[in-house]
Amino acid sequence: MGRKRLVLLAKLAVSVGIVATLYKQVIAREGTAQLWQQLAQLSWGWVGVGLGMQLLAIACSVLRWQRLLWGQGIHAPYRHLIGSFLVGRFFGEFAPGGWTGLNAYRLYDIAKHTGKLARSTASIGIEMVLGWFSFGAVVVGGSFFGWRFIGGKGVALVDAFFLCLMVTAVTLVSKPALFRVLCARAPRQLEGKLRITADAVCAYEGQGLLVAQAALLGIGTHFCRAFIYVAAAHALHARLGVGEVFFGSSLQIFATLLPASINGIGLREATAVALYTRAGVPEAVAVLIPTLGFVIELFVSSFGGIVFMARRVGYHVDIRVDDPEHEQAVVAALSSVPQERWPKLSRGLSLGLGAGLLAGALLGVAEGLVIVRSSAAAPDYRVLWYGALAYGLLLGSVGAVLGLALAWSGRLMQREAIEEPLVCSRLFGLLLTGAAFVISAFRIRRDIFHEELRWSSVQGLSVLGGTLLAAVVLYLVLAGLLRLASARDPGSLLLRAWAAPVLWVLLLAPLYAFAVAHPPKNAPASPVARQHAPPQAGNVLFIVVDTLRADHLPLYGYGHDTAPNLTAFAQDAVRFEHAFSNASWTRPSFASILTGRLPSSHHTMAKSDALPDELVTLPEALQAGGYGTYGVVTNYNLAPFFNFHQGFDQYQYLEPSFGLGANDTAAKLLLIQFLRQRMETVLAERGQVEVGSAYQDARAVNQAVSATLDQKLRSPWFLFVAYMDPHDPYYAHPYDGTGYSRAAHPKPAPSEAPKLTKLYDGAVTFWDQHFGTLVAELKRRGVYDALTIVVTSDHGEELFDHGGFWHGTTLYDEQVHVPLLVKLPGNQLHGSVVHHWVQSIDLMPSVLELAGVPVPKGVQGHDAFVGDDSVFAEESHEGNVLRSLRTRRAGTQLKLITANADNPRALAPTELYRVDRDPHEQLNLAQEQPELTAATQKALDEQAKNA
């Protein structure tokens, strides 16, 4: 009797504790205070309907459980199952996730009374799988009503997810033998228990009617549960349709299944608010709907505590079990494998290494061919053997680890070793298709969708699913071909532990030999039909300083003397006060400078874009006009790979020191890009940046310029020089091995703005020192006075002016307001300042007109000495699709900026600034002045049509 009393007291304590916990749950729920206030207005009839729906849901669930137990040969009385289900719900009310408490107790209850843990587990497991199907069917069936909440794309995304869930459930239920396959891969020590469980799961084979009944009862359960919240909404007089609450409640219930809170507290309410407020329901009412529904569920579940108390010590129930000796017979039938037939670790390592080397070679050659095909320059076949080597070493290492792990696990499981050719072929296919999937997804998003694709969108998931499907098909094809090859010599011979690494070396050798025999050679320049240069034609030096923002120069009002040599040069030149680039990152901006066209016209906006051959560039026009054309650049965006060398008689690209033995072409392999970024990050953590890793500095550019001037140049000549300073990495000057790069710090903390500003200014001063050296050299050579010299920038740099850093993701003035100085022959108009607006596309026609060379058709710029009435800029970079228009209206200067929805930079869709009064673009007038915004938007749209 003493023991029974202790058990009774323990039960009482547990029950009281749970009831107290549940009470706290109710009290702590957001909106509970309002619920008590609403009691007088509640429609109690609908509350009764909710209670009825909960009882029906429990009845359906218990019937489903009973039938699935029948499938396991377990026959339990319905009254016992009802009591156990209520106790499980009672415990589940304070358990994390939606099924842990309920299912854990039911599994324990049947296993305790029958001793059949595997059968109890199988019945609960199949019930959960069928629950996916049933719940998915309810959600998809009611998804039509979700249009008002989440739109068509949202409904499609929800339907796609739950349809996949339903297909998975059907596959698992219809093919229970999959469980046997999985159990066959388990450790030998666990095989007996897992085989018993697998047999229990497979007990449902041939019981289609029973499984169908369970699925339909599951649909009934979820249907009734959803209607509890429909009843709650009507009880609260919420202005929502039945279908809308039905759909919303399904998503609320789904949120409670996530083990991120106790019984979904907070998740249910957050989901309801997110959905119902879109339909105009007040937030307080939206919170009350799930709160009342929870109270209804909790009221019924609380009776489980009474059942728990009522089942005192000695409670007994008669549960009949068919074939009670089946489990012992299964264990007795298991056989063992002799140790000498287990996998060998050395062989697993060698097989994995060989498979990875072969997979890497094929992958490297494939990506190398894509890169060669994409290049606008002479083909550089070195990327083929370099890619085969790099990817081979990577996948070889991964394969070796994987092969070793598989061999070790095989020994742990005491399994018989699989034939070498079969292991090698499977690892080869797995490594190749896995890596190919990652590379393909990356390149599709970057090169086809220009980084505007969001993986979480319907389109993104479709692309990802299609890419994954293609990878699976590729694996199946490769596995099939290699299986055929391994069935006979020499295929079987080549897929063995020692042969695959040898085969990799034999593949690398001809690739290397081919690359050496076919070095990249620029095709001999086709004879250019040059006219005699016009009489006024003189030599032109065109300088572009990458990332130089105007307002960090003393010439443009900066308070620090960052560029004294440029200031001195301005005394000989014409300074343009309001010059703007047409894009805020290098490639489209340089393309606009060299073609006189807006980005939408020259189509060089994305990271994969090259300058089209059919466009006439500034050097091509000057060539035709009798000029010799020469270029010195160091920015990889201007490499011949992207066709920026067109029109130059001589084009010198000073490659950065890419490291890892890679040249410009090999550095475009995704693996090398990733490794370089990781290396930069590791160095950055120690405050170090390798000089020359991103570009050659102004000193090196000056040396190349001097070497070019030492040559016998065709006269008149055009020399195009592109400096990279002060582009990141920002180096400390004089060099001390430290620096700060975007690759290692994509999102600096706001507190670092002063530090980065100082580093940036130091880089500007470093460039200015070498610009002064260049000017002195030109004067020493006696060519300075007669030269036309243009100095400008492709874009600026943000230094937390608008909450961010770097460039390419906004069109604010810190990124598009650039310096522009033009020194005319004989220093004409020296020291003068032009106040009208000009833009990058004006530079090409201006230089041609000064040289007396005709301006090609299609050029959209105008003479910079005349100016523009409006300035247009656009961008499609890293998922940010932007346009801006600077214009005059009614005596004011306005700037409108538009951005795509959900852009990564989190910019407002529409911004309007009065830049004559607000030059730093801080006060957005778009909401305050909708009519002015609409008129400016119309002007922007007209400009975009003509771009």
Side-chain angles (χ1 to χ4, degrees), residues 389-410:
L389 176 66
Y391 278 106
L393 292 175
L394 172 69
L395 295 188
S397 301
V398 174
V401 172
L402 186 58
L404 184 64
L406 290 173
W408 175 81
S409 64

Side-chain angles (χ1 to χ4, degrees), residues 59-388:
C60 289
S61 296
V62 174
L63 282 171
R64 176 178 58 176
W65 185 25
Q66 185 186 54
R67 275 155 179 72
L68 290 174
L69 287 174
W70 287 356
Q72 294 295 328
I74 297 175
H75 306 274
Y78 190 64
R79 57 178 177 79
H80 173 78
L81 296 181
I82 291 176
S84 297
F85 193 90
L86 287 172
V87 173
R89 282 196 61 86
F90 179 65
F91 283 115
E93 290 296 346
F94 69 97
W99 47 60
T100 48
L102 172 62
N103 290 337
Y105 181 80
R106 291 192 295 151
L107 190 153
Y108 157 80
D109 180 74
I110 296 301
K112 172 189 172 184
H113 289 94
T114 63
K116 303 300 179 183
L117 177 62
R119 299 193 198 187
S120 178
T121 303
S123 66
I124 297 296
I126 290 296
E127 180 182 310
M128 291 175 64
V129 173
L130 288 173
W132 301 348
F133 175 85
S134 303
F135 187 69
V138 170
V139 174
V140 172
S143 62
F144 173 80
F145 299 101
W147 195 280
R148 185 179 178 189
F149 298 143
I150 57 178
K153 289 185 177 180
V155 168
L157 187 61
V158 168
D159 283 351
F161 173 79
F162 282 103
L163 285 172
C164 289
L165 202 63
M166 293 169 68
V167 170
T168 302
V170 170
T171 302
L172 291 174
V173 172
S174 62
K175 301 291 183 183
L178 290 173
F179 291 95
R180 282 202 178 103
V181 174
L182 293 175
C183 292
R185 302 290 187 270
R188 184 73 183 173
Q189 297 85 336
L190 301 176
E191 187 177 7
K193 294 181 180 178
L194 292 175
R195 182 67 64 84
I196 292 170
T197 303
D199 278 6
V201 172
C202 293
Y204 294 104
E205 281 185 302
Q207 300 196 58
L209 180 60
L210 184 146
V211 171
Q213 288 176 346
L216 289 174
L217 287 168
I219 292 174
T221 295
H222 292 295
F223 182 89
C224 292
R225 286 200 67 194
F227 256 92
I228 295 172
Y229 293 90
V230 173
H234 280 75
L236 291 164
H237 311 289
R239 295 182 178 179
L240 287 167
V242 172
E244 292 172 335
V245 182
F246 183 86
F247 175 77
S249 62
S250 297
L251 296 189
Q252 292 173 51
I253 294 168
F254 181 69
T256 67
L257 302 181
L258 304 175
S261 68
I262 301 300
N263 198 22
I265 294 177
L267 298 177
R268 190 186 277 109
E269 288 78 3
T271 305
V273 169
L275 293 174
Y276 299 148
T277 53
R278 293 191 179 189
V281 175
E283 184 173 332
V285 176
V287 170
L288 289 177
I289 293 173
T291 301
L292 180 57
F294 175 77
V295 170
I296 291 171
E297 290 190 56
L298 186 59
F299 175 76
V300 176
S301 299
S302 63
F303 286 94
I306 299 174
V307 176
F308 179 65
M309 288 289 298
R311 290 184 175 180
R312 301 191 175 192
V313 176
Y315 171 78
H316 176 74
V317 61
D318 184 20
I319 299 178
R320 181 167 55 86
V321 179
D322 297 337
D323 194 8
E325 306 300 325
H326 175 74
E327 287 79 4
Q328 290 81 349
V330 170
V331 173
L334 294 176
S335 59
S336 61
V337 177
Q339 185 172 352
E340 59 270 17
R341 291 165 58 187
W342 296 355
K344 293 181 173 56
L345 297 181
S346 59
R347 188 163 296 177
L349 186 147
S350 181
L351 282 169
L353 173 66
L357 291 173
L358 292 178
L362 184 58
L363 184 68
V365 170
E367 190 181 5
L369 288 173
V370 171
I371 293 171
V372 170
R373 180 69 180 81
S374 304
S375 175
D380 185 357
Y381 295 111
R382 289 174 293 181
V383 70
L384 301 182
W385 73 264
Y386 185 93

Side-chain angles (χ1 to χ4, degrees), residues 6-82:
L6 286 175
V7 172
L8 179 61
L9 289 173
K11 279 189 169 188
L12 181 61
V14 170
S15 299
V16 170
I18 292 176
V19 170
T21 301
L22 298 180
Y23 179 74
K24 286 182 180 180
Q25 286 186 24
V26 174
I27 294 300
R29 287 175 92 78
E30 184 179 0
T32 305
Q34 295 98 316
L35 180 60
W36 303 139
Q37 295 173 7
Q38 292 281 336
L39 284 176
Q41 303 175 12
L42 277 179
S43 176
W44 289 98
W46 279 107
V47 172
V49 171
L51 288 170
M53 289 294 105
Q54 173 70 334
L55 293 174
L56 281 175
I58 291 174
C60 289
S61 296
V62 174
L63 282 171
R64 176 178 58 176
W65 185 25
Q66 185 186 54
R67 275 155 179 72
L68 290 174
L69 287 174
W70 287 356
Q72 294 295 328
I74 297 175
H75 306 274
Y78 190 64
R79 57 178 177 79
H80 173 78
L81 296 181
I82 291 176

Side-chain angles (χ1 to χ4, degrees), residues 702-825:
N702 273 2
Q703 291 173 352
V705 170
S706 295
T708 301
L709 293 173
D710 286 339
Q711 302 175 28
K712 186 176 181 180
L713 304 181
R714 181 186 180 96
S715 185
W717 49 260
F718 168 77
L719 177 56
F720 183 77
V721 181
Y723 293 92
M724 273 287 276
D725 325 77
H727 195 287
D728 81 283
Y730 305 146
Y731 298 103
H733 296 290
Y735 290 129
D736 62 2
T738 64
Y740 200 99
S741 69
R742 182 177 187 173
H745 304 277
K747 293 183 178 180
S751 60
E752 294 188 275
K755 169 188 173 182
L756 296 188
T757 300
K758 184 177 179 180
L759 284 170
Y760 175 81
D761 287 349
V764 172
T765 300
F766 176 81
W767 168 79
D768 180 77
Q769 291 169 353
H770 291 280
F771 174 70
T773 302
L774 176 63
V775 170
E777 176 69 10
L778 295 172
K779 291 179 178 179
R780 186 188 68 79
R781 291 174 180 267
V783 299
Y784 177 81
D785 290 339
L787 265 178
T788 295
I789 303 178
V790 178
V791 180
T792 189
S793 175
D794 58 341
H795 55 76
E797 185 85 320
E798 185 179 359
L799 296 165
F800 206 66
D801 304 75
H802 285 88
F805 293 88
W806 315 120
H807 56 266
T809 59
T810 76
L811 292 176
Y812 300 116
D813 275 4
E814 62 268 12
Q815 294 204 27
V816 297
H817 183 203
V818 295
L820 175 60
L821 297 98
V822 179
K823 190 197 86 67
L824 300 171

Side-chain angles (χ1 to χ4, degrees), residues 483-537:
R483 180 168 293 185
L484 289 176
S486 65
R488 62 189 69 164
D489 294 331
S492 176
L493 182 67
L494 296 176
L495 295 175
R496 292 188 177 274
W498 60 270
V502 175
L503 179 60
W504 178 66
V505 174
L506 294 177
L507 286 172
L508 277 183
L511 287 172
Y512 181 80
F514 179 79
V516 171
H518 298 82
K521 293 180 180 179
N522 290 320
S526 303
V528 178
R530 286 185 171 92
Q531 300 177 355
H532 291 292
Q536 75 269 34

